[in-house]
Each structure stands twice: as C-alpha cells, then as structure tokens.
C-alpha cells in the first residue's frame, strides 16, 4: 500500500530503488548468455549489446540531470530577493 502522505523525494527513492534493483538483476542475466554450450556469439555481438546499453544508460541519467536542473531554475525564479 502506498502512503498518501509520501513526499516526492520519498516516492523518487522508493520507485528509483525498485527500478535500479530490477535493472541490475536483468543486467546480471545477460551474463548467463556466456554459456557457450547454449549460445553462439562473436565479440562484435557483445560490443553491440554493450554500446546499446551504455547509450541508454547515459541518456537516462542525462534526462534525470536535465530535469533536475530545469526544476532548480524554476525554483530560482520564485525565490524572494533578499
């Protein structure tokens, strides 16, 4: 059950932790592809997977940073001048 009084930061931490843990588990499963009795692949295949995942990860963190900076700028606009 989700707490209706949960703060935005609390929600970010709760949802973020779950998503990061789920992603880490899925990444670990990629390692299971190393079983050469079951799978056949070349180094280029591994390189392609790595490039794709690194790109997506960088984009996700870039998006997080961009949004947080935009939010900080909005807060700055409404601060009272001293």
């Amino acid at each position: 059950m989700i707490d209706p009084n949960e703060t935005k930061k609390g929600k970010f931490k709760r949802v973020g932790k779950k998503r990061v843990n789920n992603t880490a588990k899925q990444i670990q499963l990629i390692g299971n592809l190393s079983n050469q009795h079951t799978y056949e692949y070349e180094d280029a295949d591994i390189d392609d997977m790595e490039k794709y995942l690194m790109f997506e990860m960088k984009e996700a963190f870039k998006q997080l940073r961009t949004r947080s900076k935009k939010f900080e700028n909005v807060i700055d606009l409404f601060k009272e001048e001293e």
Side-chain angles (χ1 to χ4, degrees):
M1 188 166 156
I2 298 172
D3 180 3
N5 298 320
E6 182 178 41
T7 64
K8 287 182 178 183
K9 183 169 185 147
K11 184 176 181 179
F12 176 84
K13 286 185 173 188
R14 177 178 54 80
V15 173
K17 181 178 180 179
K18 188 173 186 176
R19 289 182 184 178
V20 168
N21 287 337
N22 287 340
T23 301
K25 288 177 188 175
Q26 293 301 311
I27 290 170
Q28 291 166 0
L29 289 175
I30 292 170
N32 292 350
L33 294 171
S34 67
N35 182 344
Q36 293 189 349
H37 292 289
T38 307
Y39 306 105
E40 182 178 315
Y41 56 90
E42 298 174 8
D43 286 345
D45 299 322
I46 298 167
D47 292 342
D48 289 343
M49 292 170 74
E50 183 179 18
K51 286 176 192 172
Y52 176 69
L53 291 173
M54 294 301 289
F55 172 80
E56 290 297 336
M57 188 171 68
K58 286 179 184 178
E59 288 298 309
F61 282 102
K62 187 186 336 179
Q63 184 179 9
L64 281 169
R65 286 188 180 91
T66 301
R67 286 186 177 171
S68 66
K69 286 181 183 175
K70 285 181 184 175
F71 182 70
E72 288 171 8
N73 292 338
V74 170
I75 290 173
D76 289 342
L77 291 174
F78 293 100
K79 281 187 180 176
E80 290 185 32
E81 297 202 18
E82 297 175 21

Coordinates of all heavy atoms in Angstrom, one line a residue:
M1 N 0.8 -1.2 0.0 CA 0.0 0.0 0.0 C 0.9 1.2 0.0 O 1.8 1.3 0.8 CB -0.9 0.0 1.2 CG -1.9 1.0 1.2 SD -3.1 0.6 2.5 CE -3.8 2.2 2.8
I2 N 0.6 2.2 -0.8 CA 1.3 3.4 -1.0 C 0.8 4.4 0.0 O -0.4 4.6 0.1 CB 1.3 3.9 -2.4 CG1 1.9 2.9 -3.4 CG2 2.0 5.3 -2.5 CD1 1.7 3.2 -4.8
D3 N 1.7 5.1 0.7 CA 1.4 6.1 1.7 C 0.9 7.4 1.0 O 1.7 7.9 0.2 CB 2.6 6.4 2.6 CG 2.4 7.4 3.6 OD1 1.3 8.0 3.7 OD2 3.4 7.8 4.3
P4 N -0.3 7.8 1.2 CA -0.8 9.1 0.5 C 0.0 10.3 0.9 O -0.1 11.3 0.3 CB -2.3 9.1 0.9 CG -2.4 8.3 2.1 CD -1.3 7.3 2.1
N5 N 0.7 10.2 2.1 CA 1.4 11.4 2.6 C 2.9 11.3 2.2 O 3.7 12.1 2.6 CB 1.4 11.4 4.1 CG -0.1 11.6 4.6 OD1 -0.8 12.4 4.0 ND2 -0.5 10.9 5.6
E6 N 3.2 10.4 1.3 CA 4.6 10.2 0.8 C 5.1 11.5 0.1 O 4.3 12.0 -0.8 CB 4.7 9.0 -0.1 CG 6.1 8.7 -0.6 CD 6.1 7.4 -1.5 OE1 5.2 7.2 -2.3 OE2 7.1 6.7 -1.3
T7 N 6.3 11.9 0.4 CA 6.8 13.1 -0.3 C 7.3 12.7 -1.7 O 7.5 11.5 -2.0 CB 8.0 13.7 0.5 OG1 9.1 12.7 0.5 CG2 7.6 14.0 1.9
K8 N 7.5 13.7 -2.5 CA 8.0 13.4 -3.9 C 9.4 12.8 -3.8 O 9.7 11.9 -4.6 CB 8.1 14.7 -4.7 CG 6.7 15.2 -5.1 CD 6.9 16.5 -6.0 CE 5.5 17.0 -6.4 NZ 5.6 18.2 -7.3
K9 N 10.2 13.2 -2.9 CA 11.5 12.6 -2.7 C 11.4 11.2 -2.2 O 12.1 10.3 -2.7 CB 12.4 13.5 -1.7 CG 13.8 12.9 -1.6 CD 14.7 13.9 -0.8 CE 16.1 13.3 -0.8 NZ 17.1 14.3 -0.9
G10 N 10.5 10.9 -1.3 CA 10.3 9.6 -0.9 C 9.8 8.7 -2.0 O 10.3 7.5 -2.1
K11 N 9.0 9.2 -2.8 CA 8.5 8.4 -4.0 C 9.6 8.1 -4.9 O 9.7 7.0 -5.5 CB 7.3 9.2 -4.7 CG 6.7 8.4 -5.8 CD 5.5 9.2 -6.4 CE 4.9 8.4 -7.5 NZ 3.7 9.1 -8.1
F12 N 10.4 9.2 -5.2 CA 11.6 9.0 -6.1 C 12.5 7.9 -5.6 O 12.9 7.0 -6.3 CB 12.4 10.3 -6.2 CG 13.6 10.2 -7.0 CD1 13.5 10.3 -8.4 CD2 14.8 10.0 -6.4 CE1 14.7 10.2 -9.2 CE2 16.0 9.9 -7.2 CZ 15.9 10.0 -8.6
K13 N 12.8 7.9 -4.3 CA 13.7 6.9 -3.7 C 13.1 5.5 -3.8 O 13.7 4.6 -4.1 CB 14.0 7.3 -2.2 CG 15.0 8.4 -2.1 CD 15.4 8.6 -0.7 CE 16.5 9.6 -0.6 NZ 17.0 9.7 0.8
R14 N 11.8 5.4 -3.4 CA 11.1 4.1 -3.4 C 11.1 3.5 -4.9 O 11.5 2.4 -5.1 CB 9.7 4.3 -2.9 CG 8.9 3.0 -2.9 CD 7.5 3.2 -2.3 NE 6.7 4.2 -2.9 CZ 6.0 4.2 -4.0 NH1 6.1 3.0 -4.7 NH2 5.3 5.2 -4.5
V15 N 10.6 4.3 -5.8 CA 10.4 3.8 -7.2 C 11.8 3.7 -7.8 O 12.1 2.7 -8.5 CB 9.6 4.8 -8.0 CG1 9.6 4.4 -9.5 CG2 8.2 4.9 -7.5
G16 N 12.7 4.6 -7.6 CA 14.1 4.5 -8.1 C 14.8 3.3 -7.6 O 15.5 2.6 -8.4
K17 N 14.7 3.0 -6.3 CA 15.4 1.8 -5.8 C 14.9 0.5 -6.5 O 15.7 -0.3 -6.9 CB 15.2 1.7 -4.3 CG 15.9 0.6 -3.6 CD 15.6 0.6 -2.1 CE 16.3 -0.6 -1.4 NZ 16.1 -0.6 0.0
K18 N 13.6 0.5 -6.6 CA 13.0 -0.7 -7.2 C 13.4 -0.9 -8.7 O 13.8 -2.0 -9.1 CB 11.4 -0.6 -7.2 CG 10.7 -1.9 -7.6 CD 9.2 -1.7 -7.4 CE 8.5 -3.0 -7.7 NZ 7.1 -2.9 -7.3
R19 N 13.4 0.2 -9.4 CA 13.8 0.2 -10.8 C 15.3 -0.1 -11.0 O 15.7 -0.9 -11.9 CB 13.5 1.5 -11.5 CG 12.0 1.6 -11.7 CD 11.6 2.9 -12.4 NE 10.2 3.0 -12.4 CZ 9.5 4.0 -13.0 NH1 10.2 5.0 -13.5 NH2 8.2 4.1 -13.0
V20 N 16.1 0.4 -10.2 CA 17.6 0.2 -10.2 C 17.8 -1.3 -9.9 O 18.6 -2.0 -10.6 CB 18.4 1.1 -9.3 CG1 19.8 0.6 -9.2 CG2 18.3 2.5 -9.9
N21 N 17.2 -1.8 -8.9 CA 17.4 -3.2 -8.5 C 16.9 -4.2 -9.6 O 17.6 -5.2 -9.9 CB 16.7 -3.5 -7.2 CG 17.4 -3.0 -6.0 OD1 18.6 -2.7 -6.0 ND2 16.7 -2.7 -4.9
N22 N 15.8 -3.9 -10.2 CA 15.3 -4.7 -11.3 C 16.2 -4.7 -12.5 O 16.5 -5.7 -13.1 CB 13.9 -4.2 -11.7 CG 12.8 -4.6 -10.7 OD1 13.0 -5.5 -9.9 ND2 11.7 -3.9 -10.8
T23 N 16.7 -3.5 -12.8 CA 17.6 -3.3 -13.9 C 18.9 -4.1 -13.6 O 19.5 -4.8 -14.5 CB 18.0 -1.8 -14.2 OG1 16.7 -1.2 -14.5 CG2 18.9 -1.7 -15.3
A24 N 19.4 -4.0 -12.4 CA 20.7 -4.7 -12.1 C 20.5 -6.3 -12.2 O 21.4 -6.9 -12.8 CB 21.1 -4.4 -10.6
K25 N 19.3 -6.8 -11.8 CA 19.0 -8.2 -12.0 C 19.0 -8.6 -13.5 O 19.6 -9.6 -13.9 CB 17.7 -8.6 -11.3 CG 17.8 -8.5 -9.8 CD 16.4 -8.8 -9.2 CE 16.4 -8.6 -7.7 NZ 15.1 -8.8 -7.1
Q26 N 18.4 -7.7 -14.3 CA 18.4 -8.0 -15.7 C 19.8 -8.0 -16.4 O 20.1 -8.8 -17.2 CB 17.4 -7.1 -16.4 CG 16.0 -7.2 -16.0 CD 15.4 -8.6 -16.3 OE1 15.6 -9.1 -17.4 NE2 14.8 -9.2 -15.4
I27 N 20.6 -7.1 -15.9 CA 21.9 -7.0 -16.4 C 22.7 -8.2 -16.0 O 23.5 -8.8 -16.8 CB 22.6 -5.7 -15.9 CG1 22.0 -4.5 -16.6 CG2 24.1 -5.7 -16.2 CD1 22.4 -3.1 -16.0
Q28 N 22.5 -8.7 -14.8 CA 23.2 -9.9 -14.4 C 22.8 -11.1 -15.2 O 23.6 -12.0 -15.5 CB 22.9 -10.2 -12.9 CG 23.5 -9.2 -11.9 CD 22.9 -9.2 -10.5 OE1 22.1 -10.0 -10.2 NE2 23.5 -8.4 -9.7
L29 N 21.5 -11.1 -15.7 CA 21.1 -12.2 -16.5 C 21.7 -12.2 -17.9 O 21.9 -13.3 -18.5 CB 19.5 -12.1 -16.7 CG 18.7 -12.5 -15.5 CD1 17.2 -12.3 -15.8 CD2 18.9 -13.9 -15.1
I30 N 22.2 -11.1 -18.3 CA 22.9 -11.0 -19.6 C 24.2 -11.9 -19.5 O 24.6 -12.5 -20.4 CB 23.3 -9.6 -20.0 CG1 22.0 -8.8 -20.3 CG2 24.3 -9.5 -21.1 CD1 22.2 -7.3 -20.5
G31 N 24.8 -11.9 -18.3 CA 26.0 -12.7 -18.1 C 25.7 -14.2 -18.3 O 26.6 -14.9 -18.7
N32 N 24.5 -14.6 -18.1 CA 24.1 -16.0 -18.4 C 24.3 -16.4 -19.8 O 24.3 -17.6 -20.2 CB 22.7 -16.3 -17.9 CG 22.6 -16.2 -16.4 OD1 23.6 -16.1 -15.7 ND2 21.4 -16.2 -15.9
L33 N 24.3 -15.4 -20.7 CA 24.5 -15.7 -22.1 C 25.9 -16.2 -22.4 O 26.2 -16.7 -23.5 CB 24.2 -14.5 -23.0 CG 22.8 -13.9 -22.9 CD1 22.7 -12.6 -23.6 CD2 21.9 -14.9 -23.6
S34 N 26.8 -16.2 -21.5 CA 28.2 -16.6 -21.7 C 28.3 -18.2 -21.8 O 29.3 -18.7 -22.2 CB 29.1 -16.1 -20.6 OG 28.7 -16.8 -19.3
N35 N 27.2 -18.9 -21.5 CA 27.2 -20.4 -21.6 C 27.3 -20.8 -23.1 O 26.3 -20.7 -23.8 CB 26.0 -20.9 -21.0 CG 26.0 -22.4 -21.0 OD1 26.7 -23.1 -21.8 ND2 25.1 -23.0 -20.2
Q36 N 28.5 -21.1 -23.6 CA 28.7 -21.4 -25.0 C 28.2 -22.8 -25.4 O 28.2 -23.1 -26.6 CB 30.2 -21.3 -25.3 CG 30.6 -19.8 -25.2 CD 32.0 -19.6 -25.7 OE1 32.8 -20.5 -26.0 NE2 32.4 -18.3 -25.9
H37 N 27.7 -23.6 -24.4 CA 27.0 -24.8 -24.8 C 25.6 -24.5 -25.3 O 25.0 -25.3 -26.0 CB 27.0 -25.8 -23.6 CG 28.3 -26.3 -23.2 ND1 29.0 -27.2 -24.0 CD2 29.1 -26.0 -22.1 CE1 30.1 -27.5 -23.4 NE2 30.2 -26.8 -22.3
T38 N 25.1 -23.4 -24.9 CA 23.7 -23.0 -25.2 C 23.7 -21.9 -26.3 O 22.7 -21.8 -27.1 CB 23.0 -22.5 -23.9 OG1 23.1 -23.5 -22.9 CG2 21.5 -22.2 -24.2
Y39 N 24.7 -21.0 -26.3 CA 24.6 -19.8 -27.1 C 25.9 -19.7 -28.0 O 26.9 -20.2 -27.6 CB 24.5 -18.5 -26.3 CG 23.3 -18.5 -25.3 CD1 23.5 -18.7 -24.0 CD2 22.0 -18.3 -25.8 CE1 22.5 -18.7 -23.1 CE2 21.0 -18.3 -24.9 CZ 21.2 -18.5 -23.6 OH 20.1 -18.5 -22.7
E40 N 25.7 -19.1 -29.1 CA 26.9 -18.9 -30.0 C 26.9 -17.4 -30.3 O 25.9 -16.8 -30.7 CB 26.7 -19.7 -31.3 CG 27.9 -19.5 -32.2 CD 27.7 -20.4 -33.5 OE1 27.3 -21.6 -33.3 OE2 28.0 -19.8 -34.6
Y41 N 28.0 -16.7 -30.2 CA 28.1 -15.3 -30.4 C 29.6 -14.9 -30.7 O 30.5 -15.7 -30.4 CB 27.6 -14.5 -29.2 CG 28.3 -14.8 -27.9 CD1 29.4 -14.1 -27.5 CD2 27.8 -15.8 -27.1 CE1 30.0 -14.4 -26.3 CE2 28.4 -16.1 -25.9 CZ 29.5 -15.4 -25.5 OH 30.2 -15.7 -24.3
E42 N 29.7 -13.7 -31.2 CA 31.0 -13.2 -31.5 C 31.3 -11.9 -30.7 O 30.3 -11.4 -30.1 CB 31.2 -12.8 -33.0 CG 31.0 -14.1 -33.9 CD 31.0 -13.7 -35.4 OE1 31.2 -12.5 -35.7 OE2 30.7 -14.6 -36.2
D43 N 32.5 -11.5 -30.6 CA 32.8 -10.3 -29.8 C 32.0 -9.1 -30.3 O 31.6 -8.2 -29.5 CB 34.3 -10.0 -29.8 CG 35.1 -11.0 -29.0 OD1 34.5 -11.7 -28.1 OD2 36.4 -11.0 -29.1
A44 N 31.8 -9.0 -31.6 CA 31.0 -7.9 -32.2 C 29.6 -7.9 -31.6 O 29.1 -6.8 -31.4 CB 31.0 -8.0 -33.7
D45 N 29.0 -9.0 -31.4 CA 27.7 -9.1 -30.8 C 27.7 -8.5 -29.3 O 26.8 -7.8 -29.0 CB 27.2 -10.6 -30.7 CG 27.1 -11.2 -32.1 OD1 26.7 -10.5 -33.0 OD2 27.4 -12.4 -32.2
I46 N 28.8 -8.9 -28.6 CA 28.9 -8.3 -27.3 C 29.1 -6.8 -27.3 O 28.5 -6.1 -26.5 CB 30.1 -9.0 -26.5 CG1 29.8 -10.5 -26.4 CG2 30.3 -8.4 -25.2 CD1 31.0 -11.3 -26.0
D47 N 29.9 -6.4 -28.2 CA 30.2 -4.9 -28.4 C 28.9 -4.2 -28.7 O 28.6 -3.1 -28.1 CB 31.2 -4.7 -29.5 CG 32.6 -5.2 -29.1 OD1 32.9 -5.4 -27.9 OD2 33.4 -5.3 -30.1
D48 N 28.1 -4.7 -29.5 CA 26.8 -4.1 -29.9 C 25.9 -4.0 -28.7 O 25.3 -3.0 -28.4 CB 26.1 -4.9 -31.0 CG 26.8 -4.8 -32.4 OD1 27.6 -3.8 -32.5 OD2 26.5 -5.6 -33.2
M49 N 25.8 -5.1 -27.9 CA 25.0 -5.1 -26.7 C 25.5 -4.0 -25.7 O 24.7 -3.2 -25.2 CB 25.0 -6.4 -26.0 CG 24.3 -7.5 -26.8 SD 24.6 -9.2 -26.1 CE 23.6 -9.1 -24.7
E50 N 26.8 -4.0 -25.5 CA 27.4 -3.0 -24.6 C 27.1 -1.6 -25.0 O 26.7 -0.7 -24.2 CB 28.9 -3.3 -24.4 CG 29.5 -2.4 -23.4 CD 31.0 -2.7 -23.2 OE1 31.6 -3.4 -24.1 OE2 31.6 -2.3 -22.2
K51 N 27.3 -1.3 -26.3 CA 27.1 0.0 -26.8 C 25.7 0.5 -26.6 O 25.4 1.6 -26.2 CB 27.5 0.1 -28.3 CG 29.0 0.1 -28.6 CD 29.3 0.1 -30.1 CE 30.7 -0.2 -30.3 NZ 31.0 -0.4 -31.8
Y52 N 24.8 -0.4 -26.9 CA 23.4 -0.1 -26.8 C 23.0 0.2 -25.3 O 22.3 1.2 -25.0 CB 22.5 -1.2 -27.4 CG 21.0 -1.0 -27.2 CD1 20.4 0.0 -27.9 CD2 20.3 -1.7 -26.3 CE1 19.0 0.3 -27.7 CE2 18.9 -1.5 -26.1 CZ 18.3 -0.5 -26.8 OH 17.0 -0.3 -26.6
L53 N 23.4 -0.7 -24.5 CA 23.1 -0.5 -23.0 C 23.7 0.8 -22.4 O 23.1 1.5 -21.7 CB 23.4 -1.7 -22.2 CG 22.6 -3.0 -22.5 CD1 23.2 -4.2 -21.8 CD2 21.1 -2.7 -22.1
M54 N 25.0 1.0 -22.8 CA 25.7 2.2 -22.3 C 25.0 3.5 -22.8 O 24.8 4.4 -22.1 CB 27.1 2.2 -22.7 CG 27.9 1.1 -22.1 SD 27.9 1.1 -20.3 CE 29.0 2.6 -20.0
F55 N 24.6 3.5 -24.1 CA 23.9 4.6 -24.7 C 22.6 4.9 -23.9 O 22.3 6.0 -23.5 CB 23.5 4.4 -26.1 CG 22.6 5.4 -26.7 CD1 23.2 6.7 -27.1 CD2 21.3 5.2 -26.9 CE1 22.3 7.7 -27.6 CE2 20.5 6.2 -27.4 CZ 21.0 7.4 -27.8
E56 N 21.8 3.8 -23.7 CA 20.5 4.0 -23.0 C 20.7 4.5 -21.5 O 20.0 5.3 -21.0 CB 19.7 2.7 -23.0 CG 19.2 2.3 -24.4 CD 18.2 3.4 -24.9 OE1 17.5 4.1 -24.1 OE2 18.0 3.4 -26.2
M57 N 21.7 4.0 -20.9 CA 22.0 4.4 -19.5 C 22.4 5.8 -19.5 O 21.9 6.6 -18.6 CB 23.1 3.5 -18.9 CG 23.3 3.7 -17.4 SD 24.4 2.5 -16.6 CE 25.9 2.9 -17.4
K58 N 23.3 6.2 -20.4 CA 23.8 7.6 -20.4 C 22.6 8.6 -20.7 O 22.5 9.6 -20.1 CB 24.8 7.8 -21.5 CG 26.2 7.3 -21.1 CD 27.2 7.5 -22.2 CE 28.5 6.8 -21.8 NZ 29.5 6.9 -22.8
E59 N 21.7 8.2 -21.6 CA 20.5 9.0 -21.9 C 19.6 9.1 -20.7 O 19.1 10.2 -20.5 CB 19.8 8.4 -23.1 CG 20.5 8.6 -24.4 CD 20.7 10.0 -24.8 OE1 19.7 10.8 -24.8 OE2 21.9 10.4 -25.1
A60 N 19.4 8.1 -20.0 CA 18.5 8.1 -18.8 C 19.1 9.1 -17.8 O 18.3 9.9 -17.2 CB 18.3 6.7 -18.3
F61 N 20.4 9.0 -17.5 CA 21.0 9.9 -16.5 C 21.0 11.3 -17.0 O 20.8 12.2 -16.2 CB 22.3 9.3 -16.1 CG 22.2 8.2 -15.1 CD1 22.4 6.9 -15.5 CD2 21.9 8.4 -13.8 CE1 22.3 5.8 -14.7 CE2 21.8 7.3 -12.9 CZ 22.0 6.0 -13.3
K62 N 21.2 11.5 -18.3 CA 21.2 12.8 -18.8 C 19.8 13.4 -18.7 O 19.7 14.6 -18.3 CB 21.6 12.8 -20.3 CG 21.8 14.2 -20.9 CD 22.0 14.3 -22.4 CE 22.6 13.1 -23.1 NZ 22.7 13.3 -24.5
Q63 N 18.8 12.6 -18.9 CA 17.4 13.1 -18.7 C 17.1 13.5 -17.3 O 16.5 14.5 -17.0 CB 16.5 12.0 -19.2 CG 15.0 12.4 -19.2 CD 14.1 11.3 -19.7 OE1 14.5 10.2 -19.9 NE2 12.9 11.6 -19.9
L64 N 17.6 12.6 -16.4 CA 17.4 13.0 -14.9 C 18.1 14.3 -14.6 O 17.5 15.1 -13.9 CB 18.0 11.8 -14.1 CG 17.1 10.6 -13.9 CD1 17.9 9.5 -13.3 CD2 15.9 10.9 -13.1
R65 N 19.3 14.4 -15.0 CA 20.1 15.6 -14.7 C 19.4 16.9 -15.3 O 19.3 17.9 -14.7 CB 21.5 15.5 -15.1 CG 22.3 14.6 -14.2 CD 23.8 14.6 -14.5 NE 24.4 13.7 -13.6 CZ 24.7 12.4 -13.8 NH1 24.3 11.9 -15.0 NH2 25.3 11.6 -12.9
T66 N 19.0 16.8 -16.5 CA 18.3 17.9 -17.2 C 17.1 18.3 -16.5 O 16.9 19.5 -16.3 CB 18.0 17.5 -18.7 OG1 19.2 17.2 -19.3 CG2 17.4 18.7 -19.4
R67 N 16.3 17.4 -16.1 CA 15.0 17.7 -15.5 C 15.3 18.3 -14.1 O 14.6 19.3 -13.7 CB 14.1 16.5 -15.3 CG 13.5 16.0 -16.6 CD 12.6 14.9 -16.4 NE 12.0 14.6 -17.7 CZ 11.2 13.6 -17.9 NH1 10.9 12.7 -16.9 NH2 10.7 13.3 -19.0
S68 N 16.2 17.8 -13.4 CA 16.5 18.4 -12.1 C 17.1 19.8 -12.2 O 16.7 20.7 -11.4 CB 17.5 17.5 -11.3 OG 18.8 17.5 -11.9
K69 N 17.9 20.1 -13.2 CA 18.4 21.4 -13.4 C 17.3 22.4 -13.8 O 17.2 23.5 -13.4 CB 19.5 21.4 -14.5 CG 20.8 20.8 -13.9 CD 21.9 20.9 -15.0 CE 23.1 20.2 -14.5 NZ 24.2 20.1 -15.5
K70 N 16.3 21.9 -14.7 CA 15.2 22.8 -15.0 C 14.4 23.1 -13.8 O 14.0 24.2 -13.6 CB 14.3 22.0 -16.1 CG 14.9 22.0 -17.5 CD 14.0 21.3 -18.4 CE 14.6 21.1 -19.8 NZ 13.7 20.4 -20.7
F71 N 14.2 22.1 -13.0 CA 13.4 22.3 -11.8 C 14.1 23.3 -10.8 O 13.4 24.2 -10.3 CB 13.2 21.0 -11.0 CG 12.3 21.1 -9.8 CD1 11.0 21.4 -9.9 CD2 12.9 21.0 -8.5 CE1 10.2 21.5 -8.8 CE2 12.1 21.1 -7.4 CZ 10.7 21.4 -7.5
E72 N 15.4 23.2 -10.7 CA 16.1 24.2 -9.9 C 16.0 25.6 -10.4 O 15.9 26.5 -9.7 CB 17.6 23.8 -9.8 CG 17.9 22.5 -8.9 CD 19.3 22.0 -9.0 OE1 20.1 22.7 -9.6 OE2 19.5 20.9 -8.5
N73 N 16.1 25.7 -11.7 CA 15.9 27.0 -12.4 C 14.5 27.6 -12.1 O 14.4 28.8 -11.9 CB 16.2 26.9 -13.9 CG 17.6 26.6 -14.2 OD1 18.5 26.8 -13.4 ND2 17.8 26.1 -15.4
V74 N 13.5 26.8 -12.1 CA 12.2 27.3 -11.8 C 12.1 27.8 -10.3 O 11.5 28.8 -10.1 CB 11.1 26.2 -12.1 CG1 9.8 26.6 -11.5 CG2 11.1 25.9 -13.5
I75 N 12.7 27.0 -9.4 CA 12.7 27.4 -8.0 C 13.4 28.7 -7.9 O 13.0 29.6 -7.2 CB 13.4 26.3 -7.2 CG1 12.5 25.1 -7.1 CG2 13.7 26.9 -5.8 CD1 13.1 23.9 -6.4
D76 N 14.6 28.9 -8.6 CA 15.3 30.2 -8.5 C 14.4 31.3 -9.0 O 14.6 32.4 -8.4 CB 16.6 30.1 -9.4 CG 17.6 29.2 -8.8 OD1 17.5 28.9 -7.6 OD2 18.5 28.8 -9.5
L77 N 13.6 31.1 -9.9 CA 12.7 32.2 -10.4 C 11.8 32.7 -9.4 O 11.4 33.9 -9.4 CB 11.9 31.8 -11.6 CG 12.7 31.5 -12.9 CD1 11.8 30.9 -14.0 CD2 13.3 32.8 -13.5
F78 N 11.4 31.9 -8.4 CA 10.4 32.2 -7.5 C 10.9 32.5 -6.1 O 10.2 32.8 -5.1 CB 9.3 31.1 -7.4 CG 8.5 31.0 -8.6 CD1 8.8 30.0 -9.5 CD2 7.5 31.9 -8.9 CE1 8.1 29.9 -10.7 CE2 6.7 31.8 -10.1 CZ 7.0 30.8 -11.0
K79 N 12.3 32.5 -5.9 CA 12.9 32.9 -4.7 C 12.7 34.3 -4.4 O 12.8 35.2 -5.3 CB 14.4 32.5 -4.7 CG 14.7 31.1 -4.4 CD 16.2 30.8 -4.3 CE 16.5 29.4 -4.1 NZ 17.9 29.2 -4.0
E80 N 12.5 34.7 -3.2 CA 12.4 36.1 -2.8 C 13.8 36.7 -2.8 O 14.7 36.0 -2.3 CB 11.7 36.3 -1.5 CG 10.2 35.9 -1.6 CD 9.5 36.2 -0.2 OE1 10.0 37.1 0.5 OE2 8.6 35.5 0.1
E81 N 13.9 37.9 -3.3 CA 15.2 38.5 -3.2 C 15.4 39.1 -1.9 O 14.5 39.6 -1.2 CB 15.3 39.6 -4.3 CG 15.1 39.0 -5.7 CD 15.7 40.0 -6.7 OE1 16.5 40.8 -6.4 OE2 15.4 39.8 -7.9
E82 N 16.6 39.0 -1.4 CA 17.0 39.4 -0.1 C 17.5 40.8 -0.1 O 17.9 41.4 -1.0 CB 18.0 38.5 0.5 CG 17.4 37.1 0.7 CD 18.5 36.2 1.2 OE1 19.5 36.6 1.8 OE2 18.3 35.0 1.0

